[in-house]
Amino acid sequence: MVWPFRTRPISIRPPDWSSPRQAALDEPFLLMNRSGLALSHRDMLTRMFLIGATGSGKTGVLHHVVAAAMRSGYSLLLLTVKPSDTRDYLAIARLCDRADVTVFRPETHRFNPVRALIESMGDSPAMIERVVALIMDAVTRLHDGSSGDARFWQSRSEKAVAHLVTLAVLAGVTPSFRWILDALRDRARSPEEAADPAWQTTNPVCQAIARALGAPMTASQRADLDQAARWWFADLPRMPVRTVESVIITLSGPLSKLVRGPLGEVLNSNESSWDPASLCHRHGIAIIDASVQEHGPLGLSLQRMIKRVFFEQLKTRDLRTGAWPILIVQDEAQDLLDTEVDADLIRTMRSRRVATVLATQTINNLVEACRDAREAKMYAEAVAALPGIKVMLANTCPESLHWCERALTSVPTVKLSSGTSDRSDTDPSSSGRSSNRSQNFAIEHAPAVMAHEIATLRTGGPPNNMIVEAILSRVGAPFPTGRPHARVAFRQIDLP
């Protein structure tokens, strides 16, 4: 339990998470004023979305949420954007007496996301599709081109990756980024080379096919193997040279980045020194110290892959072995947003006691992050609207303020309009009838909080006595004022 104003000691013990009882979820999670206004653990499972301009105190509020989760016995997955994020989270953990912290650093840890995803999904029919999606997400993010032509070749490249992943998985081989890159480089250049026994003996993909042919498999797996092997031995060698080269160029650039340097060792290692699934089995805090500012796009890709793998692992979480909630925190969510994962995390993970916190400066940031989605603006607004808790801090972006007004709309008003039109000049059959009366009405909702009220919220720091103000709304029971939103204040935590 966190007392935001830090004017009295914390005396409320964390809930007993030893059993999946529902009563624990109704206990308070975060106090927001001296009158006892609080969010419960059940509220947190509806997810939280924070929006506020740079310098609005957004990170200060986020620190209170993280501290509340740590004191309440949550497991946490903390993604980082700035190098200072790791230092801040470690300081909060010390204040909360949490020693079960793992700082995942590419220089010292190993984690093969493809292997972890295959192991977590087992015999699931969707496993190959998920592995291909993970690989192609990294390829797309690291590819330099964004034109329609580039997207066309990315689509063709995805088919090639799907065939290679199918061959590897059915043979019991991990299709790491390095394995796929080597397979593309060692491909047969002609049908004659593909039929050469000497080439087949030394080629790793051919060896995988031979191993798969001797393994037991279902009829559908056999059909997938036949199709992928036909592509490797017959279709690929006969493809036009330009087509093959375009596919290779599309894949080899991003894959080369994923096999070099410390991050290359992390992503392609045969051994893993850490697995996000551990957060499901025992209390723990994982800080992914691969900040975007320090490691660039590769650090971003690593964190997105960890999140994808963790999402699949959470689907099979057994609350009977540990019912504590798990919190996933994404500050600067526009950098880490995954259009294939985050919406599903928000919609479907409540029954697994998974809470997520997304924080960003503006709605436009989310629209840009969702640019690859079919309807980017619609998807971005859905990601922002799905969380049950919305924390709105000071902002000056017109689009974001307009979104906040619409999110806080609660007062319906009826607008009437009437008018007449002269028909005698335009309609000879009017027979002296010179006018036609019409009346329309519409129901509109006036914002319960105006944009200027949000724009003038206090933003913390010495000028505001370290106080950050916010408008907070939640689904479910209204606040004591009778409204689903309230104006709250947080005193920024003084981190060492």
Side-chain angles (χ1 to χ4, degrees), residues 79-408:
L79 307 179
T80 62
V81 176
K82 304 181 290 293
S84 60
D85 289 344
T86 298
R87 183 179 65 250
D88 291 345
Y89 290 142
L90 285 173
I92 296 172
R94 286 192 293 269
L95 289 174
C96 298
D97 297 322
R98 289 289 294 266
D100 52 345
V101 181
T102 298
V103 180
F104 181 94
R105 292 188 174 95
E107 297 81 6
T108 57
H109 289 78
R110 296 290 179 267
F111 174 68
N112 187 320
V114 176
R115 177 187 289 273
L117 185 59
I118 292 172
E119 292 176 351
S120 65
M121 297 196 68
D123 297 328
S124 170
M127 185 255 287
I128 291 177
E129 177 185 348
R130 295 283 194 277
V131 172
V132 172
L134 182 145
I135 294 171
M136 290 306 301
D137 178 71
V139 167
T140 302
R141 294 284 169 176
L142 295 173
H143 196 269
D144 297 329
S146 59
S147 64
D149 191 51
R151 286 193 292 269
F152 169 79
W153 289 115
Q154 286 170 6
S155 176
R156 296 292 298 267
S157 301
E158 183 174 354
K159 295 179 181 179
V161 170
H163 286 309
L164 290 173
V165 170
T166 299
L167 294 173
V169 169
L170 293 179
V173 176
T174 300
S176 65
F177 301 107
R178 181 173 288 127
W179 188 89
I180 293 175
L181 183 60
D182 290 343
L184 293 172
R185 289 171 174 170
D186 295 341
R187 70 190 185 281
R189 268 63 174 181
S190 66
E192 292 74 20
E193 185 179 7
D196 183 4
W199 174 80
Q200 295 178 6
T201 302
T202 59
N203 183 268
V205 178
C206 296
Q207 294 171 359
I209 293 173
R211 191 180 299 114
L213 289 172
M217 61 183 65
T218 64
S220 61
Q221 290 174 330
R222 179 68 64 181
D224 292 340
L225 176 63
D226 291 344
Q227 183 180 11
R230 188 181 307 111
W231 171 83
W232 178 252
F233 283 115
D235 298 343
L236 182 61
R238 289 186 173 88
M239 280 185 187
V241 174
R242 181 181 179 277
T243 300
V244 176
E245 289 180 347
S246 297
V247 170
I248 299 300
I249 292 172
T250 301
L251 289 172
S252 61
L255 289 176
S256 296
K257 298 175 184 177
L258 291 165
V259 302
R260 295 196 306 258
L263 278 174
E265 291 301 316
V266 171
L267 298 173
N268 298 276
S269 174
N270 292 326
E271 302 292 334
S272 293
S273 59
W274 174 80
D275 191 336
S278 61
L279 300 176
C280 300
H281 308 314
R282 59 180 181 273
H283 288 87
I285 299 169
I287 304 172
I288 311 302
D289 188 15
S291 66
V292 177
Q293 291 184 7
E294 187 174 0
H295 292 275
L298 285 175
L300 177 62
S301 294
L302 171 63
Q303 297 193 72
R304 288 166 62 90
M305 285 186 276
I306 289 174
K307 187 169 62 171
R308 278 183 177 247
V309 172
F310 192 40
F311 177 56
E312 295 298 334
Q313 294 170 336
L314 288 170
K315 291 179 180 179
T316 58
R317 185 189 183 196
D318 187 355
L319 295 181
R320 293 172 298 180
T321 61
W324 56 85
I326 296 174
L327 180 65
I328 303 174
V329 177
Q330 302 178 68
D331 196 4
E332 307 294 343
Q334 69 276 3
D335 292 328
L336 297 163
L337 192 68
D338 190 328
T339 56
E340 293 189 19
V341 171
D342 282 287
D344 285 339
L345 265 174
I346 296 171
R347 284 195 302 259
T348 63
M349 284 291 106
R350 188 179 184 186
S351 63
R352 296 288 183 263
R353 294 197 174 179
V354 178
T356 58
V357 177
L358 304 175
T360 190
Q361 291 95 349
T362 67
I363 288 296
N364 290 340
N365 283 349
L366 294 185
V367 175
E368 175 62 21
C370 298
R371 62 186 181 275
D372 294 329
R374 185 169 298 176
E375 297 287 344
K377 182 174 176 55
M378 185 182 302
Y379 190 93
E381 293 202 354
V383 169
L386 281 171
I389 303 171
K390 298 174 181 64
V391 183
M392 304 167 193
L393 298 102
N395 215 319
T396 55
C397 170
E399 290 83 1
S400 300
L401 290 172
H402 179 58
W403 180 87
C404 291
E405 282 189 335
R406 288 188 291 123
L408 295 169

